[in-house]
Amino acid sequence: MLVIDSPCALREAIKQFKQQGKAISFIPTMGNLHSGHIELVKRGQQIAPVSVVSIFVNPMQFNNADDLKNYPKTLTADCQALEAVGVDIVFTPSSEVIYPNGLAAQTYIEVPELSNCLEGELRPGHFRGMSTIVNKLFNLVQPDYACFGEKDFQQLAIVKQMVADMALPIEIIPVATVREESGLAMSSRNNKLSEPEKQLAPLLAKVMNQLAKDVQKATTQHSLLIHDASRTLNASGFAVDDIHIVDSATLKPVTETTKQAVILMAAFLGTTRLIDNKVVTLNEHLHH
Ligand code: PAF
């Protein structure tokens, strides 16, 4: 496995693989890898013979300096895990290499409509930073395929739109959320949970699954269902931040023509914000 931190060396290594006619899969990460990331890597390896992973804690997508400073860095363990699954290249650039002129001077990519709603409303600039780095990494790695987890539903929707809008020759592969046996979605943030919080955390997915069943039954208004779900979670020790049921394609409110809705959940356990989501196919004529 090659561990490369310079764009020049990366381009050289990629060129070699391209000259051999080999397709490349790419998984961008911010490190602190867990089984969910490894699942993305394995998916990429099923599709293409060469797999590239980047580890870069992207300052442009953090709107909180403390969050950025405290983001866990576990490069040695991450590289060991990637080597064990047979990754070909790990790209680990520094911030100075990626943003030589600083963040304020950096050209950016923004997918306007999908970025400014939902999570984007709560985290201004986050998705602009995310799409900018993903675009830049795509240009450096030049992959044929890139795998993204469905766990970050809005991120995945934005990346797909960016690729379509900018005519990038890359196929985006969505990968289903990996869950613990309890149903809890895997996340780097789970490490921050205390023992009692860990016990409680799976309730988020349970309440979401119940919400999905109720949405499918379509006998009660979504706003009431959301209210009930929030009450259940809050009564158990969560502090619900946001629950939305929106059209899975537009991320806008569900309308008569919506075929699939997505339930987006965000709730705090202590200081840790957990997110999860579930897509629900709606019965025609039974919308709210
Ligand atoms: O999902 C992430 O870890 C990040 O948003 C990504 C895609 C690596 C971009 O920095």
Side-chain angles (χ1 to χ4, degrees):
M1 184 175 82
L2 295 169
V3 182
I4 296 177
D5 61 9
S6 100
C8 252
L10 177 70
R11 282 193 192 282
E12 198 42 52
I14 296 284
K15 202 163 109 192
Q16 307 269 329
F17 283 122
K18 295 242 171 197
Q19 274 167 358
Q20 294 164 20
K22 291 184 171 158
I24 294 173
S25 73
F26 175 48
I27 290 89
T29 81
M30 299 208 298
N32 196 220
L33 303 182
H34 52 72
S35 332
H37 294 107
I38 301 302
E39 213 47 53
L40 297 179
V41 172
K42 288 187 176 159
R43 192 67 229 286
Q45 289 173 326
Q46 286 163 3
I47 312 170
V50 177
S51 79
V52 180
V53 175
S54 64
I55 297 179
F56 178 62
V57 182
N58 174 33
M60 199 178 177
Q61 72 187 74
F62 284 80
N63 41 4
N64 177 326
D66 276 347
D67 236 16
L68 173 62
K69 210 175 69 202
N70 296 330
Y71 201 85
K73 294 181 188 65
T74 52
L75 188 61
T76 311
D78 291 347
C79 284
Q80 274 166 4
L82 295 175
E83 178 134 48
V85 285
V87 165
D88 296 279
I89 301 178
V90 184
F91 182 47
T92 59
S94 68
S95 206
E96 291 69 31
V97 158
I98 293 291
Y99 300 119
N101 302 316
L103 291 182
Q106 172 66 38
T107 302
Y108 60 80
I109 294 271
E110 186 162 74
V111 179
E113 293 201 342
L114 293 178
S115 296
N116 299 330
C117 56
L118 305 167
E119 288 284 295
E121 236 175 310
L122 303 173
R123 302 170 72 187
H126 166 69
F127 286 123
R128 174 194 289 185
M130 184 281 294
S131 35
T132 301
I133 190 62
V134 169
N135 193 279
K136 190 157 186 168
L137 291 167
F138 280 176
N139 289 332
L140 288 163
V141 175
Q142 298 172 53
D144 300 278
Y145 306 95
C147 303
F148 286 81
E150 286 175 350
K151 164 120 188 304
D152 293 303
F153 193 88
Q154 193 171 359
Q155 168 168 289
L156 172 61
I158 291 168
V159 170
K160 280 191 199 153
Q161 186 72 47
M162 173 182 79
V163 164
D165 286 353
M166 304 310 282
L168 302 179
I170 301 169
E171 190 178 328
I172 300 303
I173 312 288
V175 180
T177 302
V178 180
R179 296 179 181 279
E180 294 187 2
E181 232 170 275
S182 64
L184 175 66
M186 296 257 184
S187 162
S188 308
R189 295 186 182 204
N190 296 353
N191 295 334
K192 292 195 195 151
L193 299 173
S194 68
E195 224 14 80
E197 286 170 350
K198 224 172 239 166
Q199 300 296 320
L200 197 53
L203 187 67
L204 186 67
K206 283 203 190 90
V207 169
M208 178 179 73
N209 289 336
Q210 185 56 48
L211 192 50
K213 281 188 193 144
D214 293 342
V215 167
Q216 216 140 29
K217 272 195 233 144
T219 50
T220 312
Q221 274 186 14
H222 288 173
S223 56
L224 295 178
L225 295 176
I226 290 173
H227 184 261
D228 278 356
S230 303
R231 216 180 30 199
T232 308
L233 286 167
N234 288 336
S236 315
F238 279 88
V240 170
D241 195 20
D242 238 343
I243 300 182
H244 290 280
I245 303 172
V246 291
D247 186 300
S248 70
T250 61
L251 302 185
K252 293 214 166 78
V254 170
T255 68
E256 302 280 293
T257 57
T258 302
K259 291 199 168 57
Q260 273 195 332
V262 60
I263 301 172
L264 300 165
M265 314 277 291
F268 283 96
L269 261 185
T271 54
T272 310
R273 187 170 184 269
L274 299 178
I275 60 169
D276 207 343
N277 68 75
K278 192 173 175 81
V279 170
V280 185
T281 302
L282 297 180
N283 290 330
E284 276 174 52
H285 316 302
L286 289 172
H287 289 183
H288 291 282

